[in-house]
Amino acid sequence: MSDHLGFPPGFVLGAATASYQIEGAAREDGRGPSIWDTYSHTPGLVANGDTGDVACDHYHRYREDVALLRGLGVGSYRFSIAWPRIVPDGTGPVNQKGLDFYSRLVDELLAAGIEPAATLYHWDLPQALETPSEGGSAAGRGWRVRETAERFAEYTAVVAEHLGDRVPRWITLNEPWCSAFLGYSVGRHAPGAKEGRGALAAAHHLLVGHGLAVRALRAAGVREVGITLNLDRNLPATGSPADLAAVVRADTQHNLVWTEPLLAGRYPDTEEETWGELISGQDFRREGDLELISQPLDFLGVNYYRPVVVADAPYRESDPDRRVATDNRYQEVPLAGARRTAMGWPVAPATFTDLLVSLKERYGDALPPLHITENGSAEEDEVSPDGAVHDTDRVAYLRDHLGALRAAMDAGVDVRGYYVWSLLDNFEWAFGYDKRFGIVRVDYDTQRRTPKDSYHWYRSLIAAQRG
Ligand code: FCB
């Protein structure tokens, strides 16, 4: 059984991972601590007390992992670079051994005929930029402060200088929504803060950091520059005015807060009804920021997993800062009739088509070509007596979402590539190792990799696409 979706020639089929989720070697070769080391080592924050200390040990096994990619036949591999390997203290001395690791990885990929796609920030902020280390020169306070955006640009320039000639595709930030809102208002991601204004400042400074990094990448002459957003397809639970208003708030906080400045050079006109005086009274925006943020991009990366059904929710706390926390403004309700993945996420591929088409409708020619930089599902995988993993639900998920992507392209959306999340089972943030998204199983006791049925399915799809 091989599916052939007939993507246009040159369409990229790839796979994705991220540094903290797979690398391990957390204290090796001069890597400094990141906010995710601190967060995962704080008791009670990550399921089972899991940490990324060892993860998939990819730092030592990257050759084996590139061989898996080569076997799969992917055209491109999306990985992320750990900032604390490159600039361990967030600012100041550069760690050559960190650069050397990514240089070896990139060379290995190129030798395998795979295009590297590098993400500069997939959430592992050097800890010193959040809380200053003793004797260090970083000021701390993370993305709440503009200095962090400036440090990000310095780090980007260093990486681009060393890898820019060999890495054709660059992604500044991965899912800044998670960094800003899960990190600084919901507290479910590092650094685990529960603030309102702090999260809105973080969102803005992430965008400023993106803009400064775009400049640094352009100065280095790299081929393609983009950013990856997790955009939501928000559906109202009912047609009531309250639920429809909740969808506006959800769209603003998840989507428009990013796409309006990036693609239209303006702030969302629904931000006051979403955040009230927390946004109107802010002082972190500066003149010129929108021009910086809205520099032309070669592509927009979109990560998509599931739709969100939104219902109105009353404030549950009097603290106005809590207004920014998603769970205090609206709630997600189950989508009737949909299968749920191991994450509890509803499976509804047609909403993927709708999201992409709606982006095109909203931004028209201002929408750059898209890359789907993540899509995949966590399932309750079982190892069969024959040693195989027959993950039929994941195969169906991938097939249906690729079909939905194809439908969006047929409707006129310019999509250039698709990266499955993820090559490997890995450290799924607050869920630890419990949730498995890989098309390759990782046995965390032995570090043995076993390609699942989904790997074999994806390989035939790629082969059929290549003709
Ligand atoms: C995205 C993240 C990625 C992974 C998937 C499941 O939000 O970018 O690292 O955790 O979800």
Side-chain angles (χ1 to χ4, degrees), residues 18 21 78 122-123 174-175 178 189 230 303 305 343 345 374 421 426-429 437:
Q21 296 180 275
R78 174 179 178 234
H122 202 124
W123 310 347
N174 176 70
E175 301 192 354
C178 294
H189 274 191
N230 53 318
N303 293 352
Y305 290 92
M343 297 293 282
W345 295 349
E374 287 179 27
W421 183 272
N426 60 46
F427 176 80
E428 180 46 35
W429 309 112
F437 274 89

Side-chain angles (χ1 to χ4, degrees), residues 286-427:
R286 297 204 187 146
E287 219 181 299
D289 282 356
L290 282 172
E291 289 71 31
L292 178 70
I293 295 166
S294 62
Q295 290 167 85
L297 297 176
D298 301 302
F299 66 93
L300 175 68
V302 174
N303 293 352
Y304 191 76
Y305 290 92
R306 51 135 179 191
V308 180
V309 183
V310 170
D312 183 43
Y315 294 156
R316 287 193 296 266
E317 283 175 38
S318 52
D319 178 358
D321 259 10
R322 287 284 298 152
R323 178 173 309 185
V324 172
T326 308
D327 59 353
N328 214 33
R329 299 302 308 284
Y330 49 88
Q331 51 191 332
E332 185 179 351
V333 298
L335 179 63
R339 182 180 84 78
R340 289 167 166 266
T341 69
M343 297 293 282
W345 295 349
V347 180
T351 61
F352 185 24
T353 313
D354 297 343
L355 172 81
L356 299 176
V357 169
S358 72
L359 259 183
K360 179 72 192 171
E361 282 169 1
R362 185 174 186 106
Y363 294 106
D365 292 342
L367 184 69
L370 305 181
H371 273 279
I372 307 310
T373 38
E374 287 179 27
N375 173 246
S377 75
E379 305 292 349
E380 309 288 353
D381 294 333
E382 275 172 33
V383 183
S384 300
D386 62 356
V389 180
H390 302 301
D391 55 341
T392 42
D393 283 339
R394 184 175 291 105
V395 170
Y397 180 99
L398 296 174
R399 193 211 308 112
D400 294 348
H401 281 80
L402 278 157
L405 171 60
R406 192 59 246 242
M409 293 168 71
D410 289 342
V413 185
D414 181 1
V415 187
R416 305 285 173 90
Y418 171 95
Y419 294 80
V420 68
W421 183 272
S422 178
L423 174 68
L424 304 171
D425 288 339
N426 60 46
F427 176 80

